Amino acid sequence: MDNGNQKIVRLVQQTCQHPQGSLERQEGLTEIVKLVQRKLWKENSPFYQDALQRTWLYFCRNLCEATTGEKFDSERSTVVTWLNAYLKLELRKFYTQGQKTAQRFVSVQISDKGEEIDPLETVAAPVDVPSMLEVTREWAETDLTGELRSIHIKGHPEITCQAIILRRLPPETSWKEIAAEFKVPLPTLSTFYQRQCLPRLLKFGEEQGYL
């Protein structure tokens, strides 16, 4: 195992010692992402960013505990190998779904003159599908029910779930910066986020089929 992988393994062990949802766990996950992301599989694909976002969700939910899949096992593979396998699986799912969609629309058609029509001429231009991040950001910004704006830290009506969630979406603002901005202790922010904001964010992700 090279030094880079050894460093990642040590960081995983340290990160997973902290409770799920704790500030220390989140900071550890962020550091691992920084070390791993440049080593991940890359390709020029219209599905790549969505597949990558699903991979990061899988990483956060299964690195230390088996939440939505099989827990990471450092004895079997490196973090990079583990994530690349999942990323490629997600890409294959997107490709398969895209092929099935195309097959539903592409079929041999005959014109009034009895001539075969090129099916590509009848297929509408592809519609830009918003990415998971775009959809999530729109959900938080619009807050149609007003729930995210109404939930706030006691005594701090400006520190709402909407404000915190938007700041933590990529490219996320660090917890230290958020604490400095609102002039509140880090533990107060972390507890509020874990108890009030994160459950609502995860619920939205589940409703959208992201989780």
Side-chain angles (χ1 to χ4, degrees):
M1 185 181 296
D2 60 41
N3 292 334
N5 284 327
Q6 289 178 349
K7 181 178 180 180
I8 293 172
V9 169
R10 287 195 298 270
L11 189 52
V12 168
Q13 293 171 342
Q14 295 168 3
T15 298
C16 292
Q17 289 176 356
H18 299 292
Q20 187 175 11
S22 66
L23 181 60
E24 292 81 4
R25 169 78 71 89
Q26 293 172 11
E27 290 177 341
L29 292 174
T30 299
E31 287 303 312
I32 297 170
V33 168
K34 291 179 180 178
L35 293 174
V36 167
Q37 60 185 354
R38 63 178 179 270
K39 300 181 180 181
L40 287 185
W41 171 264
K42 294 178 178 61
E43 64 178 60
N44 185 15
S45 161
F47 312 117
Y48 183 78
Q49 289 302 321
D50 284 331
L52 182 61
Q53 289 175 33
R54 290 190 180 185
T55 300
W56 287 129
L57 281 173
Y58 182 83
F59 161 78
C60 292
R61 294 173 70 83
N62 298 284
L63 180 70
C64 302
E65 298 88 15
T67 304
T68 61
E70 187 175 355
K71 176 180 175 294
F72 169 68
D73 184 353
S74 61
E75 298 295 325
R76 296 173 55 186
S77 69
T78 65
V79 172
V80 173
T81 301
W82 176 59
L83 289 179
N84 274 337
Y86 187 83
L87 174 57
K88 292 177 182 179
L89 176 62
E90 286 299 308
L91 285 168
R92 285 198 295 272
K93 289 180 181 178
F94 276 113
Y95 288 135
T96 301
Q97 184 60 42
Q99 290 171 350
K100 289 181 179 178
T101 301
Q103 289 171 358
R104 286 202 301 268
F105 291 98
V106 178
S107 59
V108 176
Q109 299 183 40
I110 305 299
S111 69
D112 294 337
K113 298 179 181 180
E115 299 174 345
E116 183 176 323
I117 301 175
D118 183 350
L120 293 179
E121 295 179 357
T122 65
V123 177
V127 178
D128 290 333
V129 179
S131 70
M132 180 172 61
L133 176 59
E134 291 173 338
V135 172
T136 304
R137 187 179 298 281
E138 182 179 3
W139 162 75
E141 287 178 343
T142 56
D143 187 25
L144 296 178
T145 65
E147 181 181 25
L148 299 180
R149 291 191 297 271
S150 65
I151 301 170
H152 60 81
I153 294 178
K154 186 176 181 180
H156 294 274
E158 76 282 7
I159 310 178
T160 63
C161 278
Q162 182 187 49
I164 301 302
I165 288 174
L166 287 173
R167 282 165 174 76
R168 290 302 297 167
L169 289 177
E172 69 268 13
T173 304
S174 73
W175 286 109
K176 290 182 180 179
E177 290 176 313
I178 297 174
E181 176 186 353
F182 290 113
K183 298 179 175 59
V184 295
L186 277 173
T188 301
L189 276 178
S190 178
T191 300
F192 173 67
Y193 179 77
Q194 297 303 323
R195 292 180 178 178
Q196 300 293 342
C197 309
L198 184 59
R200 289 169 171 82
L201 179 59
L202 293 177
K203 181 181 178 182
F204 173 76
E206 291 172 353
E207 291 173 346
Q208 297 299 310
Y210 298 149
L211 304 177

